Amino acid sequence: MFRLVGVLHLPPLPGAPNYLGHSISAIADAAAEDAQVLVGAGFTDVMIQDASDNPQPTLIGPATVAAMSVIGAAVRRATDVSLGVVAGHNDGPSAVAIAHAIDAQFIRVKVLTGISVGPTGWIEGCSSEVAHMKRLLGSGVEVWADAHEATSRAVTGDVRWAAAEALSFGGADKIIVTRDSGVNDAISDIAAVKALLDDNVDVLIGGRVTATTLGDAVRGSDGAILGSAIKDGPDHDARISPAAVERLADAFRTARDAAAGATRG
């Protein structure tokens, strides 16, 4: 099944330098409403992310964990699809804790294994901390790990090595690949990863997908994660755009039906 994942880019939250004091209950209500728009359009998954905290830390603090838990719980009550969490730039353990508290099904971790360079400096893999948190909580949450992502640069630059290590060493369940240069380059990387890995491992495109390129994503990957493409603007308080969501949902249905027709043929 192709996963169409819609990301709720939350406005600045408590603990962030640019938090403006907005009510967490109001943010939670808005997130729940936006999640319902995504589910109503046919998105298979929803993910919450503290994407507007600026500067975004590698690890988040207690105030942000608490806020994301309240917001995530509201989204969980409003929807019945698979729910995911991404916290900070690379706070896998906090994402596990939030996901466990709100009954989410997966987390996204940008640097599960290896080491990358990002705006915050060196970013080290957190697979051990993620595994310990899962064990502590008795959590079965899935770990979706980036083999290449757009907000940092892996020291090795070898997407196949990164994917293999995320699975074998880091215990990842799914792999994510994103390329700033576009969907076609991401699909090329995904083909290389799939040639190396077990066919049963899903590899998703982590961003930069538009309505124009969604058909290519359906044919060349196991899913697409959409964030900025479904918002009504670039501002921190931008909401989900129903018009953009419908365009992408229509493109998804068209590509899915075409793929099913080709399979039957």
Side-chain angles (χ1 to χ4, degrees), residues 79-259:
T79 63
D80 58 2
V81 299
S82 172
L83 178 61
V85 177
V86 55
H89 195 97
N90 200 51
D91 201 340
S94 289
V96 171
I98 295 165
H100 183 74
I102 67 175
D103 192 27
Q105 283 63 54
F106 67 94
I107 64 170
R108 179 180 183 178
V109 182
K110 300 292 186 72
V111 186
L112 185 66
T113 52
I115 187 167
S116 295
V117 179
T120 57
W122 293 110
I123 304 171
E124 297 185 13
C126 59
S127 58
S128 178
E129 293 85 351
V130 167
H132 274 91
M133 184 61 74
K134 288 182 64 175
R135 182 179 178 84
L136 174 67
L137 299 176
S139 172
V141 63
E142 287 190 346
V143 177
W144 297 13
D146 283 80
H148 186 281
E149 61 102 11
T151 56
S152 65
R153 296 291 180 263
V155 171
T156 67
D158 185 340
V159 67
R160 294 185 302 169
W161 179 89
E165 290 300 313
L167 291 164
S168 64
F169 183 87
D173 298 283
K174 290 178 173 52
I175 298 297
I176 302 171
V177 173
T178 310
R179 286 290 185 187
D180 277 337
S181 51
V183 168
N184 287 336
D185 285 340
I187 290 173
S188 178
D189 280 343
I190 288 171
V193 167
K194 282 185 166 292
L196 179 69
L197 304 178
D198 189 318
D199 286 341
N200 292 326
V201 177
D202 288 343
V203 186
L204 297 84
I205 300 177
R208 310 300 189 264
V209 178
T210 66
T212 303
T213 59
L214 186 54
D216 294 329
V218 170
R219 290 185 291 271
S221 72
D222 298 302
I225 299 175
L226 306 172
S228 298
I230 55 176
K231 293 170 62 176
D232 62 9
D235 296 334
H236 289 327
D237 59 351
R239 296 281 300 274
I240 294 297
S241 165
V245 166
E246 280 301 324
R247 284 194 298 272
L248 284 155
D250 286 343
F252 169 58
R253 285 187 287 267
T254 298
R256 180 193 59 193
D257 293 346

Side-chain angles (χ1 to χ4, degrees), residues 38 49 68 200 238:
L38 294 172
Q49 180 179 9
M68 291 188 72
N200 292 326

